[in-house]
Short mmCIF file of all heavy atoms in Angstrom, two decimals:
data_model
loop_
_atom_site.label_atom_id
_atom_site.label_comp_id
_atom_site.label_asym_id
_atom_site.label_seq_id
_atom_site.Cartn_x
_atom_site.Cartn_y
_atom_site.Cartn_z
N LEU Q 87 -15.48 -31.77 -16.23
CA LEU Q 87 -14.52 -31.55 -17.32
C LEU Q 87 -13.11 -31.91 -16.88
O LEU Q 87 -12.42 -31.15 -16.21
CB LEU Q 87 -14.58 -30.08 -17.76
CG LEU Q 87 -15.98 -29.61 -18.15
CD1 LEU Q 87 -16.03 -28.10 -18.34
CD2 LEU Q 87 -16.45 -30.33 -19.41
N GLN Q 88 -12.67 -33.09 -17.33
CA GLN Q 88 -11.40 -33.62 -16.86
C GLN Q 88 -10.21 -32.76 -17.26
O GLN Q 88 -9.23 -32.67 -16.54
CB GLN Q 88 -11.24 -35.04 -17.42
CG GLN Q 88 -10.30 -35.89 -16.60
CD GLN Q 88 -10.06 -37.24 -17.26
OE1 GLN Q 88 -10.91 -37.72 -18.02
NE2 GLN Q 88 -8.93 -37.83 -16.98
N ASN Q 89 -10.30 -32.14 -18.42
CA ASN Q 89 -9.13 -31.44 -18.96
C ASN Q 89 -9.13 -29.94 -18.68
O ASN Q 89 -8.47 -29.18 -19.37
CB ASN Q 89 -9.03 -31.68 -20.46
CG ASN Q 89 -8.83 -33.15 -20.76
OD1 ASN Q 89 -7.81 -33.72 -20.42
ND2 ASN Q 89 -9.85 -33.77 -21.35
N LEU Q 90 -9.85 -29.54 -17.65
CA LEU Q 90 -9.98 -28.10 -17.38
C LEU Q 90 -8.64 -27.46 -17.03
O LEU Q 90 -8.50 -26.23 -17.10
CB LEU Q 90 -11.00 -27.88 -16.26
CG LEU Q 90 -11.73 -26.54 -16.26
CD1 LEU Q 90 -12.50 -26.35 -17.55
CD2 LEU Q 90 -12.68 -26.45 -15.07
N SER Q 91 -7.65 -28.27 -16.65
CA SER Q 91 -6.34 -27.68 -16.29
C SER Q 91 -5.74 -26.89 -17.45
O SER Q 91 -4.98 -25.96 -17.23
CB SER Q 91 -5.37 -28.76 -15.82
OG SER Q 91 -5.42 -29.85 -16.69
N GLU Q 92 -6.11 -27.25 -18.67
CA GLU Q 92 -5.63 -26.46 -19.81
C GLU Q 92 -6.04 -24.99 -19.69
O GLU Q 92 -5.26 -24.08 -19.94
CB GLU Q 92 -6.18 -27.02 -21.13
CG GLU Q 92 -5.41 -28.22 -21.61
CD GLU Q 92 -5.83 -28.66 -23.03
OE1 GLU Q 92 -6.35 -27.81 -23.79
OE2 GLU Q 92 -5.63 -29.84 -23.35
N LEU Q 93 -7.29 -24.79 -19.29
CA LEU Q 93 -7.79 -23.42 -19.12
C LEU Q 93 -7.21 -22.78 -17.86
O LEU Q 93 -6.78 -21.62 -17.87
CB LEU Q 93 -9.33 -23.43 -19.07
CG LEU Q 93 -10.01 -22.09 -18.79
CD1 LEU Q 93 -9.61 -21.03 -19.82
CD2 LEU Q 93 -11.53 -22.25 -18.77
N ILE Q 94 -7.19 -23.55 -16.75
CA ILE Q 94 -6.69 -23.02 -15.48
C ILE Q 94 -5.24 -22.56 -15.63
O ILE Q 94 -4.87 -21.46 -15.20
CB ILE Q 94 -6.81 -24.09 -14.38
CG1 ILE Q 94 -8.29 -24.46 -14.16
CG2 ILE Q 94 -6.19 -23.61 -13.07
CD1 ILE Q 94 -8.50 -25.78 -13.42
N ASP Q 95 -4.41 -23.39 -16.28
CA ASP Q 95 -3.00 -23.04 -16.45
C ASP Q 95 -2.84 -21.79 -17.30
O ASP Q 95 -1.99 -20.94 -17.03
CB ASP Q 95 -2.23 -24.21 -17.10
CG ASP Q 95 -2.16 -25.41 -16.17
OD1 ASP Q 95 -2.51 -25.27 -14.98
OD2 ASP Q 95 -1.76 -26.50 -16.63
N LYS Q 96 -3.65 -21.70 -18.33
CA LYS Q 96 -3.56 -20.52 -19.21
C LYS Q 96 -3.92 -19.25 -18.43
O LYS Q 96 -3.25 -18.23 -18.57
CB LYS Q 96 -4.49 -20.69 -20.41
CG LYS Q 96 -4.25 -19.64 -21.49
CD LYS Q 96 -4.97 -19.96 -22.78
CE LYS Q 96 -4.26 -20.96 -23.66
NZ LYS Q 96 -2.97 -20.48 -24.21
N LEU Q 97 -4.95 -19.31 -17.61
CA LEU Q 97 -5.34 -18.16 -16.81
C LEU Q 97 -4.22 -17.80 -15.83
O LEU Q 97 -3.82 -16.64 -15.72
CB LEU Q 97 -6.65 -18.45 -16.07
CG LEU Q 97 -7.88 -18.56 -16.98
CD1 LEU Q 97 -9.06 -19.19 -16.23
CD2 LEU Q 97 -8.28 -17.19 -17.52
N HIS Q 98 -3.72 -18.81 -15.12
CA HIS Q 98 -2.63 -18.55 -14.17
C HIS Q 98 -1.41 -17.95 -14.87
O HIS Q 98 -0.74 -17.07 -14.32
CB HIS Q 98 -2.24 -19.85 -13.45
CG HIS Q 98 -3.18 -20.21 -12.34
ND1 HIS Q 98 -3.24 -21.46 -11.77
CD2 HIS Q 98 -4.11 -19.47 -11.68
CE1 HIS Q 98 -4.16 -21.49 -10.82
NE2 HIS Q 98 -4.71 -20.29 -10.75
N GLY Q 99 -1.16 -18.40 -16.08
CA GLY Q 99 -0.03 -17.88 -16.86
C GLY Q 99 -0.15 -16.39 -17.13
O GLY Q 99 0.85 -15.69 -17.33
N GLN Q 100 -1.38 -15.89 -17.13
CA GLN Q 100 -1.62 -14.45 -17.33
C GLN Q 100 -1.78 -13.71 -16.01
O GLN Q 100 -2.23 -12.56 -15.98
CB GLN Q 100 -2.91 -14.24 -18.14
CG GLN Q 100 -2.98 -15.01 -19.44
CD GLN Q 100 -2.43 -14.20 -20.60
OE1 GLN Q 100 -2.43 -12.98 -20.56
NE2 GLN Q 100 -1.92 -14.89 -21.61
N GLY Q 101 -1.49 -14.39 -14.90
CA GLY Q 101 -1.62 -13.74 -13.59
C GLY Q 101 -3.05 -13.62 -13.12
O GLY Q 101 -3.37 -12.77 -12.28
N ILE Q 102 -3.92 -14.44 -13.68
CA ILE Q 102 -5.34 -14.38 -13.32
C ILE Q 102 -5.68 -15.47 -12.32
O ILE Q 102 -5.32 -16.63 -12.51
CB ILE Q 102 -6.20 -14.54 -14.60
CG1 ILE Q 102 -5.94 -13.36 -15.54
CG2 ILE Q 102 -7.68 -14.66 -14.25
CD1 ILE Q 102 -6.50 -13.56 -16.93
N GLU Q 103 -6.36 -15.09 -11.24
CA GLU Q 103 -6.80 -16.06 -10.25
C GLU Q 103 -8.07 -16.77 -10.72
O GLU Q 103 -8.86 -16.19 -11.48
CB GLU Q 103 -7.08 -15.38 -8.91
CG GLU Q 103 -5.82 -14.87 -8.23
CD GLU Q 103 -6.10 -14.25 -6.88
OE1 GLU Q 103 -7.28 -13.97 -6.57
OE2 GLU Q 103 -5.12 -14.02 -6.14
N VAL Q 104 -8.25 -18.00 -10.23
CA VAL Q 104 -9.37 -18.81 -10.71
C VAL Q 104 -10.21 -19.32 -9.54
O VAL Q 104 -9.68 -19.94 -8.61
CB VAL Q 104 -8.88 -20.01 -11.54
CG1 VAL Q 104 -10.06 -20.81 -12.08
CG2 VAL Q 104 -7.98 -19.55 -12.68
N ALA Q 105 -11.51 -19.05 -9.61
CA ALA Q 105 -12.45 -19.59 -8.64
C ALA Q 105 -13.34 -20.60 -9.35
O ALA Q 105 -13.58 -20.49 -10.56
CB ALA Q 105 -13.31 -18.48 -8.04
N LEU Q 106 -13.82 -21.59 -8.59
CA LEU Q 106 -14.69 -22.61 -9.19
C LEU Q 106 -15.61 -23.18 -8.13
O LEU Q 106 -15.22 -23.33 -6.97
CB LEU Q 106 -13.83 -23.72 -9.81
CG LEU Q 106 -14.58 -24.81 -10.60
CD1 LEU Q 106 -13.81 -25.15 -11.88
CD2 LEU Q 106 -14.77 -26.07 -9.76
N GLU Q 107 -16.85 -23.46 -8.53
CA GLU Q 107 -17.80 -24.09 -7.62
C GLU Q 107 -18.30 -25.40 -8.19
O GLU Q 107 -18.60 -25.51 -9.38
CB GLU Q 107 -18.99 -23.17 -7.35
CG GLU Q 107 -20.00 -23.83 -6.42
CD GLU Q 107 -21.13 -22.93 -5.96
OE1 GLU Q 107 -20.90 -21.72 -5.76
OE2 GLU Q 107 -22.26 -23.43 -5.82
N THR Q 108 -18.39 -26.40 -7.30
CA THR Q 108 -18.92 -27.71 -7.69
C THR Q 108 -19.64 -28.30 -6.49
O THR Q 108 -19.36 -27.94 -5.35
CB THR Q 108 -17.78 -28.65 -8.15
OG1 THR Q 108 -18.33 -29.94 -8.43
CG2 THR Q 108 -16.71 -28.80 -7.07
N GLN Q 109 -20.56 -29.21 -6.75
CA GLN Q 109 -21.33 -29.78 -5.63
C GLN Q 109 -20.58 -30.89 -4.88
O GLN Q 109 -21.06 -31.38 -3.87
CB GLN Q 109 -22.69 -30.29 -6.11
CG GLN Q 109 -22.64 -31.49 -7.04
CD GLN Q 109 -22.67 -31.05 -8.49
OE1 GLN Q 109 -21.96 -30.11 -8.88
NE2 GLN Q 109 -23.45 -31.71 -9.29
N GLY Q 110 -19.42 -31.29 -5.41
CA GLY Q 110 -18.64 -32.31 -4.70
C GLY Q 110 -19.07 -33.73 -5.02
O GLY Q 110 -18.94 -34.63 -4.19
N SER Q 111 -19.54 -33.95 -6.23
CA SER Q 111 -19.97 -35.30 -6.63
C SER Q 111 -18.83 -36.07 -7.30
O SER Q 111 -18.94 -37.27 -7.51
CB SER Q 111 -21.15 -35.20 -7.60
OG SER Q 111 -20.78 -34.45 -8.74
N ARG Q 112 -17.77 -35.38 -7.68
CA ARG Q 112 -16.60 -36.09 -8.19
C ARG Q 112 -15.33 -35.25 -8.11
O ARG Q 112 -15.37 -34.04 -8.10
CB ARG Q 112 -16.82 -36.61 -9.62
CG ARG Q 112 -16.96 -35.54 -10.67
CD ARG Q 112 -17.15 -36.19 -12.02
NE ARG Q 112 -18.48 -36.80 -12.12
CZ ARG Q 112 -18.88 -37.52 -13.15
NH1 ARG Q 112 -18.05 -37.75 -14.16
NH2 ARG Q 112 -20.12 -38.00 -13.21
N TRP Q 113 -14.22 -35.97 -8.02
CA TRP Q 113 -12.89 -35.37 -7.86
C TRP Q 113 -12.24 -35.12 -9.21
O TRP Q 113 -12.45 -35.87 -10.16
CB TRP Q 113 -12.00 -36.32 -7.05
CG TRP Q 113 -10.55 -35.97 -7.07
CD1 TRP Q 113 -9.58 -36.51 -7.85
CD2 TRP Q 113 -9.91 -34.98 -6.26
NE1 TRP Q 113 -8.36 -35.92 -7.58
CE2 TRP Q 113 -8.54 -34.98 -6.61
CE3 TRP Q 113 -10.36 -34.09 -5.27
CZ2 TRP Q 113 -7.61 -34.13 -6.01
CZ3 TRP Q 113 -9.44 -33.24 -4.68
CH2 TRP Q 113 -8.08 -33.26 -5.04
N GLN Q 114 -11.48 -34.01 -9.29
CA GLN Q 114 -10.58 -33.82 -10.42
C GLN Q 114 -9.22 -33.39 -9.88
O GLN Q 114 -9.15 -32.61 -8.92
CB GLN Q 114 -11.10 -32.73 -11.37
CG GLN Q 114 -12.38 -33.08 -12.12
CD GLN Q 114 -12.20 -34.16 -13.19
OE1 GLN Q 114 -11.08 -34.61 -13.46
NE2 GLN Q 114 -13.31 -34.60 -13.77
N GLU Q 115 -8.16 -33.86 -10.52
CA GLU Q 115 -6.81 -33.53 -10.05
C GLU Q 115 -6.57 -32.03 -9.99
O GLU Q 115 -5.86 -31.53 -9.12
CB GLU Q 115 -5.74 -34.18 -10.97
CG GLU Q 115 -5.68 -35.70 -10.90
CD GLU Q 115 -5.34 -36.23 -9.50
OE1 GLU Q 115 -4.66 -35.52 -8.75
OE2 GLU Q 115 -5.80 -37.35 -9.18
N TRP Q 116 -7.19 -31.31 -10.92
CA TRP Q 116 -6.93 -29.86 -10.98
C TRP Q 116 -7.61 -29.07 -9.84
O TRP Q 116 -7.42 -27.86 -9.73
CB TRP Q 116 -7.31 -29.28 -12.35
CG TRP Q 116 -8.65 -29.68 -12.90
CD1 TRP Q 116 -8.89 -30.57 -13.90
CD2 TRP Q 116 -9.94 -29.19 -12.50
NE1 TRP Q 116 -10.23 -30.67 -14.15
CE2 TRP Q 116 -10.91 -29.84 -13.31
CE3 TRP Q 116 -10.38 -28.28 -11.55
CZ2 TRP Q 116 -12.29 -29.61 -13.17
CZ3 TRP Q 116 -11.74 -28.04 -11.40
CH2 TRP Q 116 -12.67 -28.69 -12.21
N PHE Q 117 -8.39 -29.73 -8.99
CA PHE Q 117 -8.96 -29.03 -7.82
C PHE Q 117 -7.86 -28.32 -7.01
O PHE Q 117 -8.08 -27.25 -6.46
CB PHE Q 117 -9.68 -30.01 -6.87
CG PHE Q 117 -11.08 -30.38 -7.30
CD1 PHE Q 117 -11.60 -30.03 -8.54
CD2 PHE Q 117 -11.91 -31.09 -6.43
CE1 PHE Q 117 -12.89 -30.38 -8.91
CE2 PHE Q 117 -13.20 -31.44 -6.79
CZ PHE Q 117 -13.70 -31.09 -8.03
N VAL Q 118 -6.68 -28.96 -6.96
CA VAL Q 118 -5.61 -28.40 -6.14
C VAL Q 118 -5.01 -27.13 -6.74
O VAL Q 118 -4.20 -26.46 -6.10
CB VAL Q 118 -4.47 -29.43 -5.90
CG1 VAL Q 118 -5.01 -30.67 -5.21
CG2 VAL Q 118 -3.79 -29.81 -7.21
N ASP Q 119 -5.39 -26.79 -7.96
CA ASP Q 119 -4.87 -25.57 -8.59
C ASP Q 119 -5.82 -24.39 -8.50
O ASP Q 119 -5.47 -23.27 -8.89
CB ASP Q 119 -4.55 -25.84 -10.07
CG ASP Q 119 -3.48 -26.89 -10.23
OD1 ASP Q 119 -2.51 -26.87 -9.44
OD2 ASP Q 119 -3.61 -27.75 -11.12
N ILE Q 120 -7.04 -24.65 -8.04
CA ILE Q 120 -8.04 -23.57 -7.97
C ILE Q 120 -7.73 -22.66 -6.77
O ILE Q 120 -7.48 -23.13 -5.67
CB ILE Q 120 -9.46 -24.17 -7.83
CG1 ILE Q 120 -9.77 -25.09 -9.02
CG2 ILE Q 120 -10.50 -23.07 -7.69
CD1 ILE Q 120 -9.92 -24.39 -10.34
N ASP Q 121 -7.77 -21.34 -7.02
CA ASP Q 121 -7.45 -20.39 -5.95
C ASP Q 121 -8.57 -20.27 -4.93
O ASP Q 121 -8.31 -20.12 -3.73
CB ASP Q 121 -7.16 -19.01 -6.56
CG ASP Q 121 -5.99 -19.07 -7.52
OD1 ASP Q 121 -4.85 -19.19 -7.04
OD2 ASP Q 121 -6.21 -19.04 -8.75
N ASP Q 122 -9.81 -20.29 -5.40
CA ASP Q 122 -10.97 -20.19 -4.51
C ASP Q 122 -11.93 -21.31 -4.88
O ASP Q 122 -12.76 -21.14 -5.77
CB ASP Q 122 -11.68 -18.84 -4.68
CG ASP Q 122 -10.73 -17.65 -4.60
OD1 ASP Q 122 -10.00 -17.56 -3.60
OD2 ASP Q 122 -10.73 -16.83 -5.53
N LEU Q 123 -11.81 -22.43 -4.19
CA LEU Q 123 -12.61 -23.61 -4.52
C LEU Q 123 -13.78 -23.75 -3.55
O LEU Q 123 -13.59 -23.87 -2.35
CB LEU Q 123 -11.74 -24.88 -4.46
CG LEU Q 123 -12.47 -26.19 -4.76
CD1 LEU Q 123 -12.95 -26.23 -6.21
CD2 LEU Q 123 -11.55 -27.39 -4.49
N THR Q 124 -14.99 -23.71 -4.09
CA THR Q 124 -16.19 -23.88 -3.27
C THR Q 124 -16.81 -25.23 -3.55
O THR Q 124 -17.16 -25.54 -4.69
CB THR Q 124 -17.21 -22.77 -3.56
OG1 THR Q 124 -16.64 -21.51 -3.22
CG2 THR Q 124 -18.49 -22.97 -2.74
N ILE Q 125 -16.93 -26.03 -2.48
CA ILE Q 125 -17.63 -27.31 -2.58
C ILE Q 125 -19.01 -27.08 -1.96
O ILE Q 125 -19.11 -26.70 -0.80
CB ILE Q 125 -16.91 -28.42 -1.79
CG1 ILE Q 125 -15.41 -28.43 -2.11
CG2 ILE Q 125 -17.57 -29.77 -2.02
CD1 ILE Q 125 -15.03 -29.14 -3.36
#
Side-chain angles (χ1 to χ4, degrees):
Chain Q
L87 305 170
Q88 203 185 334
N89 298 294
L90 207 59
S91 46
E92 280 189 24
L93 176 57
I94 297 162
D95 293 349
K96 191 169 279 294
L97 291 166
H98 281 164
Q100 307 269 335
I102 296 168
E103 291 182 347
V104 182
L106 185 139
E107 179 173 325
T108 176
Q109 68 265 45
S111 58
R112 66 179 71 185
W113 167 262
Q114 292 290 355
E115 292 299 332
W116 47 255
F117 279 9
V118 301
D119 298 319
I120 301 292
D121 300 287
D122 310 306
L123 179 65
T124 297
I125 312 278

